[in-house]
Amino acid sequence: MADLEVYKNLSPEKVERCMSVMQSGTQMIKLKRGTKGLVRLFYLDEHRTRLRWRPSRKSEKAKILIDSIYKVTEGRQSEIFHRQAEGNFDPSCCFTIYHGNHMESLDLITSNPEEARTWITGLKYLMAGISDEDSLAKRQRTHDQWVKQTFEEADKNGDGLLNIEEIHQLMHKLNVNLPRRKVRQMFQEADTDENQGTLTFEEFCVFYKMMSLRRDLYLLLLSYSDKKDHLTVEELAQFLKVEQKMTNVTTDYCIDVIRKFEVSEENKAKNVLGIEGFTNFMRSPACDIFNPLHHEVYQDMDQPLCHYYIASSHNTYLTGDQLLSQSKVDMYARVLQEGCRCVEVDCWDGPDGEPVVHHGYTLTSKILFRDVVETINKHAFVKNEFPVILSIENHCSVQQQRKIAQYLKGIFRDKLDLSSVDTGETKQLPSPQSLKGKILVKGKKLPHHLGDDAEEGEVSDEDSADEIEDECKFKLHYNNGTTEHQVESFIRKKLESLLKESQIRDKEDPDSFTVRALLKATHEGLNAHLKQHPDVKESGKKTHGRSLMTNFGKHKKTTKSRSKSYSADEEEDAQQNPGKETSQLYRLGRRRKTMKLCRELSDLVVYTNSVAAQDVVDDGTTGNVLSFSETRAHQVVQQKSEQFMTYNQKQLTRIYPSAYRIDSSNFNPLPYWNAGCQLVALNYQSEGRMMQLNRAKFKTNGNCGYVLKPQQMCKGTFNPFSGDPLPANPKKQFILKVISGQQLPKPPDSMFGDRGEIIDPFVEVEIIGLPVDCCKDQTRVVDDNGFNPVWEETLTFTVHMPEIALVRFLVWDHDPIGRDFVGQRTVTFSSLVPGYRHVYLEGLTEASIFVHITINEIYGKWSPLILNPSYTILHFLGATKNRQLQGLKGLFNKNPRHSSSENSSHYVRKRSIGDRILRRTASAPAKGRKKSKMGFQEMVEVKDSVSEAARDQDGVLRRTARSLQARPVSMPVDRSLLGALSLPISETAKDTEGKENSLVQI
């Protein structure tokens, strides 16, 4: 975004002139692939947040968020413009807007150069303003935009006013289930002007604030303010220290919080924080679940490269599937700015001696290698200066290899010069810190025995395409009867229809690709087509046609038999030659293929030499990068996880998706991260669960693309599949209280959209890490309330290796026949912050869940008597002899159960007044629970331990069916606050509480 800096300093007059023209609208021609240009009126909305156009058959979709614009280019630079004849349009009237995750292009032509210049300037000014925002300003802006947009969408007749019926419809859309009488009462209170019966936008803002008043936050404020409706500076400091576990809280910091978040000028003058200001503060980035310090680089960056997980992309140039999609240079810019530090470039011989980049043996489009290198050079170090690894898959002739080397040296220049890099006396890889601003070329290197004077030589030719054997590639030779274009056209149509079918999948299903059926159908269809066209013959000549990946079943069978024979041979050899175990680990018995490599390209490879599995020798050298497909890596991880982890302490390993994932789906990266693999390459263009895990993994440490591996993975070893992999290390007890939800929308795939039923949400929390840590648990369901559901439930987890664990929050809409995905947020365990926090769902403006987090350390196999040092042994054992006996009996409990109640199962904490007032009172009951006129009976869900938990089909531990035990009806808040009375306890509850107070074995 460096080129946007100049637009931040435009004169106010010029800015207003541009905005005025853009908001008035301009007639432009919109170019589309394969069709004539369409004349449309393009305009900027009044909030300057969206570019819209009309007419459009899909009016709701005819918009582009300014936030989603990646770049704006002048002239005829896009692929669609290049397809147009040279003299068709004046280049000074043309510009392209790139937007969205897949770098879609909107190609526009104005009637004169002045209009084009105005739009380009205005759009870049808006983009520059967004890029310069801090997180607080962005949150405030998006909130204001959301409120304004909500008002406009509710205003059906467009008169700038909302009547009571429009408000009722809006309530349903926002998943609010309030009595109509209550809605009318708030409506009348907000309707203060002379025009009674309607709300202006300002009045609607008042109405919305009344509707959004957070009972949970109000009670929390009361508990720290001595029952006043505001917090003083001292009370705010106390809250931050006690609940939020903040250190070094100063008076100045508290006054600054009041100045930033308080809305009342009277309260500001008194230096107090009212409920509205307190709500603003609690919903701000300062109280987000993600540690704000982790937005910057905070880890040690002076360790060898092999000690870091490195964000890596597979087939970076592709915008979609692996067979038919477009290749674009802009994908490199996008992934680099997202924090990716290892990009892939597949090089092939192109026309006119110019190497091209595309996915071999497929129908993907081609781009020039030179353009790719120029794009990487421009964007590699915009976001951070840590090194970029260029993974080159070389399929070129020696002549074009020399062209590749020429472009790399000519464009990257001193970025390739590694002579000044200090690696120290030990044979270790250099650190990310010492390689700042450098580009490492990962590729083949000529063997040492050739000598320095050899201009070229033979190297092994193994890469990500090798999972498809030659006999599984269909090769075509075209006679006069049928052209290449006709056969490609047939293949394309067949695959497009099959890919569409394969993409109907559950977002949470990690094994969602249906490649077997897809490839089988394509193969059969193509064979039938060839029988109808006898002029098309099979031939082994690669240069005369395209190759198509087929014969999936045959290949898988072959692979399976090979893996079996490899395992038996390896075990036998290991017994006879124990010293060879590490090197023999990777000999997978594949047929050797070789290719010619030129000296110029070989010399550019320094620390990242690509080696095949059978070339690995444990001779103490560093600088090798071993590449595995996910299928082969899975075998190694399962069979030799500890040896693999040891190998990864000195060398780099790259794992890439199976070549059969032709829909660009992603594999689960966790097993490979658990084995210490650094370069786990994913398809960045494919959104879904796996990319969400990858994003969460690398968001920490300033999103710089390098995350330090745990110390236990860098020195020593352990079995990641063990039930207690690190017995000498303390574990973490993660106590999560899921309190409430805010503005949860209807599921994105809801059949009836906003007109559908109000959702019945519940929260699922998943721990993802070592196998022993992987488990899920969930809250009950709240009926008919997506706007402010209250759960008030506590989930407890034990985490053995928190350094690599991820915590995934999912919100689901309960349905009689299943559940619908609403949203998710995934965070690294090490980036969680304790206290009351909001978890904003990814990609949703206002939707969040409110939680309280406690993290304790557990030493050895037994939890300590006192996890909280502020309480004595008497607090722990309780006041009665009965409780003492129950507590001591718990020491010998062989089947521990984690309690889901408010108290931890490992210690008893004296209930504060804040605990009492935050107990649920009138929240909706769980599904199937009868409503009581006396109030809602509460239920305690007692979770089974990990040892009793059952694994679901994804291999994740899921808590087994839990017993439901009765709790007393909650006490009214006013009595609890003013009287501080103890709650009545039934016999069932006493028994439950006794179990809660007992010590348990971890």
Side-chain angles (χ1 to χ4, degrees), residues 75 376 418 438 462 477 504 535 548 556 603 617 638 706 719 791 849 854 882 894:
I376 293 172
L418 303 177
K438 299 296 182 183
E462 303 228 353
H477 178 68
I504 302 172
D535 292 331
L548 181 68
K556 294 304 278 187
D603 287 347
V617 180
Q638 291 292 321
Y706 288 84
N719 179 6
W791 292 285
I849 51 180
T854 305
N882 182 44
K894 293 185 179 179

Coordinates of all heavy atoms in Angstrom, one line a residue, residues 75 376 418 438 462 477 504 535 548 556 603 617 638 706 719 791 849 854 882 894:
G75 N -5.3 2.3 -17.0 CA -5.0 1.8 -18.3 C -5.5 0.4 -18.5 O -6.3 -0.2 -17.8
I376 N 6.3 -10.2 -7.1 CA 6.9 -10.6 -5.8 C 7.9 -9.5 -5.4 O 7.9 -9.2 -4.2 CB 7.6 -12.0 -6.0 CG1 6.5 -13.0 -6.3 CG2 8.4 -12.3 -4.7 CD1 7.1 -14.4 -6.6
L418 N 23.3 -13.4 -0.5 CA 23.4 -13.9 0.9 C 24.8 -14.0 1.5 O 25.0 -14.7 2.5 CB 22.7 -15.3 0.9 CG 21.3 -15.4 0.4 CD1 20.8 -16.9 0.4 CD2 20.3 -14.5 1.2
K438 N 15.7 -10.5 2.5 CA 16.2 -11.4 1.5 C 15.2 -12.3 0.9 O 14.2 -12.6 1.6 CB 17.3 -12.2 2.2 CG 18.5 -11.4 2.7 CD 19.3 -10.7 1.6 CE 20.5 -9.9 2.1 NZ 21.1 -9.1 1.0
E462 N 11.6 -34.5 -9.2 CA 10.5 -34.9 -8.4 C 9.8 -33.7 -7.8 O 10.5 -32.9 -7.2 CB 10.9 -35.9 -7.2 CG 11.6 -37.1 -7.8 CD 11.1 -38.4 -7.2 OE1 10.3 -38.3 -6.2 OE2 11.5 -39.4 -7.6
H477 N -3.1 -37.2 -29.0 CA -2.4 -36.7 -30.3 C -3.5 -36.4 -31.2 O -4.4 -37.2 -31.4 CB -1.5 -37.8 -30.9 CG -0.9 -37.4 -32.1 ND1 0.1 -36.4 -32.2 CD2 -1.1 -37.8 -33.4 CE1 0.5 -36.2 -33.4 NE2 -0.2 -37.1 -34.2
I504 N -20.5 -28.6 -3.2 CA -21.6 -28.5 -2.2 C -21.2 -29.3 -1.0 O -21.3 -30.5 -1.0 CB -22.9 -29.1 -2.8 CG1 -23.3 -28.3 -4.1 CG2 -24.1 -29.0 -1.8 CD1 -24.5 -28.9 -4.8
D535 N -10.7 -40.3 -35.0 CA -9.5 -39.6 -35.5 C -8.6 -39.2 -34.4 O -7.4 -38.9 -34.6 CB -9.9 -38.3 -36.2 CG -10.7 -38.6 -37.5 OD1 -10.4 -39.7 -38.1 OD2 -11.5 -37.8 -38.0
L548 N -4.3 -35.3 -18.9 CA -5.4 -35.2 -17.9 C -5.2 -36.3 -16.8 O -4.9 -37.4 -17.1 CB -6.8 -35.4 -18.6 CG -8.0 -35.3 -17.7 CD1 -8.1 -33.9 -17.3 CD2 -9.2 -35.8 -18.5
K556 N -4.2 -45.3 -6.4 CA -4.3 -45.4 -4.9 C -4.0 -46.8 -4.5 O -3.3 -47.1 -3.5 CB -5.7 -45.1 -4.4 CG -6.1 -43.6 -4.6 CD -5.2 -42.7 -3.9 CE -5.4 -42.5 -2.5 NZ -4.6 -41.5 -1.9
D603 N 23.2 -22.1 -8.9 CA 24.0 -21.3 -8.0 C 23.1 -20.3 -7.2 O 23.6 -19.8 -6.2 CB 25.0 -20.5 -8.8 CG 26.1 -21.3 -9.3 OD1 26.2 -22.5 -8.8 OD2 26.9 -20.9 -10.2
V617 N 20.2 -37.9 3.3 CA 21.2 -38.6 4.1 C 21.5 -37.8 5.3 O 21.8 -36.6 5.2 CB 22.5 -38.8 3.3 CG1 23.5 -39.6 4.1 CG2 22.2 -39.6 2.0
Q638 N 2.7 -41.1 11.0 CA 2.0 -42.1 11.8 C 3.1 -43.2 12.2 O 3.0 -43.7 13.3 CB 1.0 -42.9 10.9 CG -0.2 -42.0 10.6 CD -1.1 -41.8 11.9 OE1 -1.2 -42.6 12.7 NE2 -1.6 -40.6 12.0
Y706 N 6.2 -16.0 10.5 CA 7.1 -16.9 11.2 C 6.6 -17.0 12.6 O 6.4 -16.0 13.3 CB 8.5 -16.3 11.2 CG 9.2 -16.4 9.8 CD1 9.0 -15.4 8.8 CD2 10.0 -17.5 9.6 CE1 9.6 -15.5 7.6 CE2 10.7 -17.6 8.3 CZ 10.5 -16.6 7.3 OH 11.1 -16.7 6.1
N719 N 6.6 -38.1 21.9 CA 5.7 -38.7 21.0 C 4.4 -37.9 21.0 O 3.7 -37.9 22.0 CB 5.4 -40.1 21.5 CG 4.4 -40.9 20.7 OD1 3.9 -40.4 19.6 ND2 4.0 -42.0 21.1
W791 N -26.3 -17.7 27.9 CA -26.0 -19.1 28.2 C -25.5 -19.2 29.7 O -26.0 -20.1 30.4 CB -24.9 -19.6 27.3 CG -25.4 -19.8 25.9 CD1 -26.3 -20.7 25.4 CD2 -25.1 -18.9 24.8 NE1 -26.5 -20.5 24.0 CE2 -25.8 -19.4 23.6 CE3 -24.3 -17.8 24.6 CZ2 -25.6 -18.8 22.4 CZ3 -24.2 -17.2 23.4 CH2 -24.8 -17.7 22.3
I849 N -19.5 -13.2 20.9 CA -20.0 -13.9 22.1 C -19.1 -13.3 23.2 O -18.0 -13.0 23.0 CB -19.9 -15.4 22.0 CG1 -18.5 -15.8 21.5 CG2 -20.9 -16.0 21.1 CD1 -18.4 -17.3 21.4
T854 N -10.4 -18.0 32.4 CA -9.4 -18.3 33.5 C -8.5 -19.3 33.0 O -8.9 -20.4 32.5 CB -10.1 -18.7 34.8 OG1 -11.1 -17.8 35.1 CG2 -9.2 -18.9 35.9
N882 N -18.3 -32.8 56.4 CA -18.8 -33.6 55.3 C -18.0 -33.2 54.0 O -17.6 -34.0 53.2 CB -20.3 -33.4 55.1 CG -20.8 -34.3 54.0 OD1 -20.5 -35.4 53.9 ND2 -21.7 -33.7 53.1
K894 N -10.7 -42.4 40.5 CA -10.0 -42.9 39.3 C -10.8 -42.5 38.1 O -10.2 -42.6 37.0 CB -10.0 -44.4 39.4 CG -9.1 -45.0 40.5 CD -8.9 -46.5 40.4 CE -8.0 -47.0 41.5 NZ -7.9 -48.4 41.5

